[in-house]
Amino acid sequence: MLPKDPGGFAFECVLSLEPLIDFVREKLASGRWPANPVGDDLLARLDNAPELRGAIQDLEVLKKHQGLLVRLMSLVFPAVAWDSEAFAAVVPFVLTPVMTSPQFEDLFISPPAGRVVRRNIDDATFLYGRTIKAYMFILDSLYGLKQRMDYPLALVVREEATGLERHFAIQLDFRFVRPEPVGEPIVLSEADLQFVRENITEPETLREILPPERFRLTGFTAMKAVEMTTFETISALSRDLIDQETVMSKAGFLRLQERLRTYFGRGDLVAGLAAVHQDQVMLLNVGCQLQDDGLFGQTNMVPMDYFKGSLFEKLAQDDQMMVIADVRQEPDLDRLNTGYGKSNIRSLMVAPLLYQGKFIGSLEVGLPGVDQFNPTDMALMTQLQPLFTVAVKNALNDLDKRIQAVIKQKCTAVHPSVEWRFEQAAMRHLANRREGSGEVMEPIVFNEVYPLFASSDIRGSSRQRNQAIAVDLARHLELGLEVVRRAQQSKPLPILGEMAGRIERRRNRLEGGLKSGDETGLADFMRHEVEAIFDDLAMQGPEVQEAIAAYRAEVDLHLGTVYHQRRRFEKSVSLLNERMAAYLDREEAAMQAVLPHYYERHRTDGVDHLIYLGASLSPNGEFSRLHLSNFRLWQLMVTCGLAWHGEQLKKQMPVPLDTAHLIFIQETPLNIRFRYDEKRFDVDGAYDVRHEIIRSRLDKAVISGGERLTQPGKVAMVYSSLEEVREMRRHIEHLQEQGFLLPEVERHELEDLPGVRGLKALRVGINLDGEALARRAQSFFEGD
């Protein structure tokens, strides 16, 4: 049943239909209704039912006039929703039902045995919220003082047999409630009203000038229950998973499993996690058979190689969710000893967990019956993946911290802009240690910071590297083949013909393209098969010895293979990376003087950088929208400068390389937390991880027709909403006027990336021959 009224509500509340009847009369008289929705006889019948007029003290009279009541209430509760929605008319503020729909009755008034109904707030909070709402209602209606403060009310229905919960948001409509003074109306002066404004959340204080016994609340409240189970469960999971202890303890994970049962609507569902740490996989037993000392304390530690050829390896490689209709038909699962037999699991759904594009583990849910999961369940599972990705990543971070027997330094390589915050934390940490209150440093979190991310990648670096490797390998094979051919000419042994044929076949296969394993495979073949017989072949004459000398002159002694083209390519990459990194670092150092900010730069085949801006990053809270706009304009200018330097370096590179440039725009701020175990900052919370997911996948972005978004000589700016791009359009126009950018601006819709939809982009050419860009980029790099 509905939770009992805790009592203590000081205002008199009276049931009355008069506000609704007056509403009907007014609407009919105004002519604003195109037709009479209640029939011509309703008001006449109400006039002939005096028990329904005025204050209704005895609720039993409503049963006598049930049909009349239902007709009247059809204006508030549509008849088409009578059997499908949960609603009721209740005595105002005390919530005593006077008319209920069948669904409301079944859920909250006369539930079956084993169903328990509770509020989302305790009795004291419930009473406090109603009292404040009553005062605001009175002040608005009688004194014209509008104030707003809502206490969200919800009811939770729990089935004791299954443990499943359903959450309902309660919507209350007070349109048909009238506050009335009891006795002489209280007159409030301007000073009284100011006193009320200052103490609006203090009901005991308000009683001094507005005693509750001087007011009556008459009418009825329309009450509707809207199911919010999925939303509430996701919110609860998000809150739980932010706390590492949720997945690091038995009790915490059991609570997660209960929430997952509610989320999927199955009381017999079991859950499990697997996490990848370095080359090991840590398995959690199905059915939450957890050890008391934590998630990974006594779990199975299995080498990744153990899963070769299994479903788990397929999950890690394909990054696609798997649904297994019957685990007994999958021999791999028995071999992996995952405990499905003990827990009687037959159906299984497994989702990969990806962090920055890397497979770090899996989330699995199982059910006893065969073929229990459908596409709807898969859609629900998709919403859970980012949440559990953050949880597993945090758990792995914590594991790394525990592996370290002694942490010599709590924080290393701290960026200078945030040293002040670490100094504060270190001082408090030392004070706590002196007092014996713990060894763990306090969390370091910067709230409401804006991320600025950009990358300048070498276009086609993987393809060019593979081409260089293929050319070197082909040359390596050619040198070896020359030795064998000369030896065969000197002494035509059949075995030498066989060896020459093997070398030629491997060389021919290279012409079809480089494959995984070719590099090490060919090097091993030449070392163990060909070079092993050089000493014997050298005895066949000086021509063979000359070929062997030529072979050894070109093969790198340390690498064991020819390294000509790769050296040229790597020298070009290194030259380009060093120039772009140096230019970017000099530019960023100048901006630190404008506003302190957090800065990260990474070098791979190109450079990318990430900047965080916000008031929380500054000791004095210095930050404004102007700073953000200034940094975004600067980032676009610097990207143009990086492109210019890359173009200038082509003449110096042994292998000319092109660069492609991208900027990711996000208007919504996020929170970052310093991870002590990884000695770096990371986004804080499941929602903010979306920014990192997008960043990790943008390098694969394509536009309609399959064309890569990023193109040499252009800068692409990726965004998801118009608010994020309006400002960038102004910056583009400014830099076009300055001669940094070319006139044409392209607009593109991006094709969907894994887990990311709805991204758009602007793309504009960089004026690499422009004098203004050359002056700024060159002079700044030289430090003039």
Side-chain angles (χ1 to χ4, degrees):
M1 295 183 61
L2 276 173
K4 292 183 179 180
D5 193 313
F9 190 66
F11 293 90
E12 180 185 1
C13 300
V14 178
L15 174 66
S16 175
L17 301 178
E18 291 297 332
L20 178 56
I21 296 172
D22 291 346
F23 172 81
V24 174
R25 292 185 188 279
E26 178 186 344
K27 287 292 185 181
L28 291 175
S30 68
R32 282 179 286 177
W33 275 351
N36 186 345
V38 294
D40 295 332
D41 65 328
L42 177 63
L43 295 179
R45 291 182 61 188
L46 286 170
D47 290 338
N48 294 326
E51 300 98 330
L52 296 181
R53 305 304 302 273
I56 302 174
Q57 302 295 337
D58 183 6
L59 300 184
E60 290 297 318
V61 302
L62 299 177
K63 297 179 180 179
K64 177 181 175 182
H65 301 281
Q66 187 68 21
L68 197 57
L69 178 65
V70 169
R71 282 187 60 188
L72 180 62
M73 286 295 179
S74 66
L75 290 169
V76 182
F77 305 114
V80 293
W82 179 257
D83 293 321
S84 60
E85 296 183 4
F87 52 76
V90 300
V91 177
F93 287 92
V94 295
L95 307 186
T96 301
V98 297
M99 190 193 80
T100 60
S101 69
Q103 190 175 114
F104 193 96
E105 180 79 19
D106 180 66
L107 283 170
F108 308 118
I109 306 302
S110 303
R115 181 180 294 171
V116 178
V117 183
R118 60 178 174 83
R119 282 188 297 267
N120 64 320
I121 53 179
D122 58 34
D123 289 347
T125 305
F126 180 53
L127 175 60
Y128 173 79
R130 285 190 299 160
T131 305
I132 292 294
K133 185 68 177 179
Y135 269 121
M136 290 183 174
F137 195 59
I138 291 168
L139 290 167
D140 184 7
S141 300
L142 299 182
Y143 297 98
L145 182 61
K146 295 185 179 295
Q147 297 288 323
R148 182 179 179 85
M149 185 179 72
D150 292 324
Y151 267 81
L153 178 62
L155 294 177
V156 181
V157 178
R158 180 180 177 85
E159 302 290 348
E160 292 296 306
T162 62
L164 297 180
E165 291 184 346
R166 298 174 67 186
H167 297 257
F168 295 86
I170 302 303
Q171 299 175 353
L172 300 174
D173 185 349
F174 294 97
R175 284 181 298 170
F176 304 108
V177 180
R178 291 175 179 169
E180 302 171 345
V182 176
E184 190 71 21
I186 298 175
V187 178
L188 297 182
S189 65
E190 186 57 39
D192 292 332
L193 291 175
Q194 183 60 32
F195 178 82
V196 168
R197 293 188 188 97
E198 294 172 354
N199 296 277
I200 192 65
T201 59
E202 302 294 335
E204 291 303 316
T205 304
L206 294 180
R207 293 173 70 103
E208 298 176 10
I209 60 173
L210 296 171
E213 59 271 14
R214 297 291 301 276
F215 298 93
R216 180 187 302 114
L217 301 168
T218 302
F220 70 93
T221 302
M223 181 177 179
K224 184 176 181 180
V226 180
E227 184 157 9
M228 302 287 287
T229 302
T230 299
F231 175 81
E232 177 59 30
T233 305
I234 284 287
S235 298
L237 281 169
S238 301
R239 293 191 299 268
D240 287 345
L241 290 172
I242 289 175
D243 181 8
Q244 289 187 13
E245 286 303 312
T246 302
V247 293
M248 292 296 289
S249 67
K250 178 179 180 179
F253 197 81
L254 287 173
R255 185 169 65 251
L256 283 180
Q257 181 173 253
E258 288 299 314
R259 296 203 191 281
L260 289 174
R261 288 175 172 175
T262 297
Y263 182 68
F264 286 100
R266 294 297 299 266
D268 50 357
L269 179 142
V270 294
L273 280 173
V276 179
H277 181 257
Q278 297 177 359
D279 61 347
Q280 300 283 315
V281 177
M282 293 164 287
L283 300 177
L284 174 65
N285 291 333
V286 172
C288 295
Q289 298 167 358
L290 298 172
Q291 303 295 329
D292 290 336
D293 57 350
L295 176 59
F296 301 130
Q298 297 292 329
T299 54
N300 297 322
M301 301 280 291
V302 183
M304 193 68 179
D305 291 343
Y306 179 72
F307 296 93
K308 198 167 187 64
S310 71
L311 292 173
F312 191 84
E313 183 186 49
K314 186 176 185 299
L315 183 76
Q317 292 177 348
D318 296 346
D319 298 338
Q320 297 294 322
M321 191 181 306
M322 292 192 307
V323 174
I324 301 168
D326 189 355
V327 299
R328 296 182 185 178
Q329 304 303 316
E330 297 290 343
D332 283 338
L333 299 178
D334 291 334
R335 179 173 66 83
L336 297 178
N337 189 29
T338 46
Y340 295 113
K342 294 180 181 179
S343 57
N344 198 31
I345 292 301
R346 297 294 296 274
S347 299
L348 190 67
M349 181 165 55
V350 189
L353 304 179
L354 305 175
Y355 185 80
Q356 295 183 348
K358 180 181 178 182
F359 178 77
I360 65 169
S362 65
L363 168 66
E364 59 189 38
V365 292
L367 289 169
V370 174
D371 198 15
Q372 295 292 298
F373 293 108
N374 56 46
T376 300
D377 296 316
M378 295 178 68
L380 291 173
M381 191 71 151
T382 301
Q383 298 183 53
L384 297 178
Q385 285 175 279
L387 305 180
F388 279 88
T389 295
V390 174
V392 170
K393 179 60 178 175
N394 289 343
L396 289 171
N397 291 346
D398 186 75
L399 175 64
D400 286 333
K401 185 166 60 177
R402 284 194 284 151
I403 288 174
Q404 301 174 20
V406 177
I407 299 177
K408 295 182 179 180
Q409 291 181 319
K410 293 287 185 180
C411 310
T412 59
V414 174
H415 194 270
S417 64
V418 293
E419 281 182 351
W420 62 273
R421 180 64 183 85
F422 285 86
E423 290 173 357
Q424 290 179 353
M427 291 177 64
R428 282 192 281 268
H429 174 67
L430 292 174
N432 292 337
R433 289 182 60 180
R434 285 194 299 268
E435 297 171 2
S437 57
E439 292 290 328
V440 180
M441 285 183 66
E442 66 185 49
I444 295 182
V445 180
F446 294 100
N447 296 316
E448 298 289 309
V449 298
Y450 290 86
L452 279 74
F453 173 78
S455 65
S456 297
D457 292 328
I458 298 173
R459 171 48 52 92
S461 58
S462 298
R463 176 181 52 80
Q464 294 187 64
R465 181 178 282 105
N466 287 339
Q467 289 177 348
I469 293 172
V471 171
D472 282 342
L473 292 177
R475 177 59 181 167
H476 193 174
L477 290 169
E478 185 63 36
L479 290 168
L481 182 61
E482 181 64 19
V483 173
V484 175
R485 281 174 174 170
R486 291 195 182 187
Q488 189 179 21
Q489 291 171 0
S490 175
K491 185 178 293 186
L493 300 176
I495 190 64
L496 295 178
E498 187 266 353
M499 176 63 74
R502 293 171 64 191
I503 296 175
E504 287 181 332
R505 285 193 296 273
R506 288 179 177 266
R507 184 185 60 181
N508 293 339
R509 283 200 297 268
L510 274 180
E511 295 177 359
L514 191 67
K515 298 180 178 59
S516 176
D518 281 353
E519 185 176 2
T520 57
L522 287 175
D524 289 342
F525 167 74
M526 296 300 293
R527 184 182 305 111
H528 300 300
E529 303 280 346
V530 181
E531 294 178 17
I533 63 174
F534 275 5
D535 289 342
D536 294 330
L537 298 181
M539 300 179 66
Q540 297 184 21
E543 290 185 356
V544 178
Q545 294 171 6
E546 181 181 348
I548 292 174
Y551 177 98
R552 288 174 172 162
E554 290 198 45
V555 173
D556 188 283
L557 183 62
H558 299 289
L559 300 176
T561 186
V562 174
Y563 206 74
H564 298 330
Q565 294 301 318
R566 276 173 287 185
R567 184 176 289 108
R568 296 176 72 246
F569 174 78
E570 294 297 342
K571 182 177 180 181
S572 298
V573 171
S574 177
L575 183 65
L576 182 57
N577 278 351
E578 289 176 2
R579 172 67 69 86
M580 290 197 300
Y583 171 71
L584 182 59
D585 288 349
R586 287 173 181 263
E587 282 270 10
E588 187 275 336
M591 293 300 288
Q592 281 289 348
V594 176
L595 180 74
H597 57 275
Y598 183 80
Y599 167 73
E600 289 182 4
R601 173 183 53 76
H602 304 282
R603 287 175 50 174
T604 51
D605 285 351
V607 298
D608 63 65
H609 69 271
L610 176 63
I611 289 174
Y612 291 121
L613 298 170
S616 62
L617 286 164
S618 174
N620 57 13
E622 180 186 5
F623 178 75
S624 69
R625 184 74 196 189
L626 180 63
H627 289 117
L628 180 60
S629 298
N630 185 55
F631 268 77
R632 285 180 172 158
L633 175 59
W634 167 83
Q635 187 180 51
L636 184 54
M637 295 173 68
V638 167
T639 300
C640 295
L642 289 169
W644 184 88
H645 279 289
E647 188 68 19
Q648 302 307 307
L649 282 177
K650 282 187 178 180
K651 300 175 184 178
Q652 304 175 34
M653 297 180 195
V655 178
L657 300 173
D658 289 318
T659 56
H661 309 272
L662 179 144
I663 295 174
F664 177 40
I665 309 165
Q666 175 168 313
E667 184 65 21
T668 306
L670 46 77
N671 302 333
I672 57 172
R673 177 186 295 267
F674 186 80
R675 308 291 182 191
Y676 287 98
D677 46 353
E678 293 187 344
K679 307 296 187 293
R680 68 182 183 87
F681 281 98
D682 201 354
V683 294
D684 189 35
Y687 177 80
D688 290 338
V689 79
R690 178 178 182 272
H691 177 265
E692 292 198 11
I693 291 174
I694 294 176
R695 283 200 293 113
S696 68
R697 297 176 180 175
L698 279 179
D699 61 328
K700 300 179 178 63
V702 296
I703 61 179
S704 300
E707 178 187 347
R708 286 279 297 273
L709 170 64
T710 55
Q711 293 293 330
K714 297 182 178 181
V715 55
M717 288 148 277
V718 178
Y719 63 96
S720 58
S721 67
L722 293 176
E723 289 77 13
E724 293 172 338
V725 78
R726 287 193 182 102
E727 183 182 70
M728 192 57 71
R729 289 179 185 273
R730 297 196 300 269
H731 298 335
I732 291 172
E733 292 174 359
H734 172 69
L735 293 185
Q736 286 172 332
E737 294 171 355
Q738 296 296 312
F740 282 51
L741 297 174
L742 297 177
E744 183 180 358
V745 178
E746 305 169 29
R747 297 167 178 81
H748 298 288
E749 301 276 345
L750 302 191
E751 293 187 1
D752 292 344
L753 297 168
V756 180
R757 295 182 177 181
L759 294 180
K760 305 174 182 64
L762 300 179
R763 193 167 66 185
V764 59
I766 301 170
N767 188 7
L768 298 174
D769 297 324
E771 293 182 3
L773 176 58
R775 283 196 304 271
R776 187 183 192 283
Q778 184 62 32
S779 64
F780 200 98
F781 179 74
E782 294 175 349
D784 294 341

